[in-house]
Amino acid sequence: FPRAVPMPNKLLKVELIDDDEITYIASIKRKHWHTAETDAAELGNWMALVFGKLSITEQGYNILDATIRIFEEKTNSNRQINRD
């Protein structure tokens, strides 16, 4: 998990980088963050979905009122593709 920095009003500031290496700063409620940490710890492979209100500033992209959800990442290693 990325490092979370405490902010006022029970929020955490988290820096997130997507697959295209774009950096987002998310303001996430502590309760949501701790729930996500717990969920991720229970899963072997996981992926996160962060959503909220997108704000574009001179400093970059901000996700306001963000929520984070953790999902199990399933692998398809046993899956075969038939090409006839």
Side-chain angles (χ1 to χ4, degrees), residues 59-79:
Q59 291 78 29
Y61 298 97
N62 292 322
I63 305 172
L64 308 173
D65 301 325
T67 300
I68 184 169
R69 302 223 20 227
I70 303 296
F71 297 95
E72 182 177 11
E73 184 175 24
K74 298 183 181 187
T75 60
N76 293 326
S77 60
N78 295 331
R79 190 174 176 189

Side-chain angles (χ1 to χ4, degrees), residues 5-16:
V5 178
M7 294 174 47
N9 299 324
K10 299 183 182 180
L11 294 175
L12 295 171
K13 176 181 166 182
V14 181
E15 184 176 303
L16 306 167

Side-chain angles (χ1 to χ4, degrees), residues 30-40 70:
R30 291 179 190 181
K31 176 180 153 183
H32 293 291
W33 185 255
H34 294 303
T35 300
E37 284 181 320
T38 302
D39 292 346
I70 303 296

Side-chain angles (χ1 to χ4, degrees), residues 17-84:
I17 302 172
D18 71 6
D19 290 339
D20 296 322
E21 297 187 17
I22 297 174
T23 301
Y24 298 85
I25 303 298
S27 300
I28 301 175
K29 290 183 181 178
R30 291 179 190 181
K31 176 180 153 183
H32 293 291
W33 185 255
H34 294 303
T35 300
E37 284 181 320
T38 302
D39 292 346
E42 293 174 2
L43 300 172
N45 293 323
W46 55 270
M47 59 190 330
L49 171 68
V50 178
F51 54 96
K53 299 174 188 173
L54 183 63
S55 169
I56 302 171
T57 66
E58 290 180 11
Q59 291 78 29
Y61 298 97
N62 292 322
I63 305 172
L64 308 173
D65 301 325
T67 300
I68 184 169
R69 302 223 20 227
I70 303 296
F71 297 95
E72 182 177 11
E73 184 175 24
K74 298 183 181 187
T75 60
N76 293 326
S77 60
N78 295 331
R79 190 174 176 189
Q80 293 181 355
I81 299 174
N82 265 338
R83 295 186 188 209
D84 294 325

